[in-house]
Amino acid sequence: QVQPVESGGGLVQAGGSLRISCTASGRTGSRYGMGWFRQAPGKGREFVAAITWSGDSTYYGDSVKGRFTISRDNAENTVFLQMNSLEPEDTAVYYCAAAVYAPASLRTVAAGYDYWGQGTQVTVSS
């Protein structure tokens, strides 16, 4: 079992940048795909970004393409989400998730992930 733990959330002004991290503990010797999702108040969980274990494939939600970048450091069991040009609409709780095995068709949906973190709040002020 793997336990993702998010960190780095906070308050930032519109147009600013923030990097959040997710460190996985537990059975980190396995090769997990990792993803970020977010949930704003009163809305459903939205896919943000995903990366395969090798890092050779990345995926992004339409609303963050060109602004957010996902990366990972397997030696540190950590995945990062660099968020630039932040907008008030990016305000949400950001969740990190790990997938034991997710075919390409499931890498952008919550159902493709097996383990979830508790989330970190990102607030973008206008």
Side-chain angles (χ1 to χ4, degrees), residues 6-23:
E6 303 93 341
S7 62
L11 175 65
V12 62
Q13 288 189 328
S17 298
L18 193 66
R19 188 177 81 160
I20 55 178
S21 304
C22 172
T23 299

Side-chain angles (χ1 to χ4, degrees), residues 43-98:
K43 296 187 177 181
R45 194 161 292 191
E46 176 189 14
F47 169 72
V48 176
I51 188 168
T52 55
W53 181 87
S54 63
D56 59 355
S57 294
T58 56
Y59 308 81
Y60 296 95
D62 289 340
S63 61
V64 307
K65 280 181 183 176
R67 301 187 299 122
F68 291 12
T69 302
I70 189 171
S71 61
R72 68 188 299 163
D73 181 343
N74 288 339
E76 298 295 329
N77 299 316
T78 300
V79 63
F80 305 96
L81 185 67
Q82 177 67 44
M83 304 182 289
N84 298 328
S85 301
L86 283 161
E87 304 167 351
E89 293 73 24
D90 295 315
T91 295
V93 177
Y94 283 70
Y95 296 92
C96 175

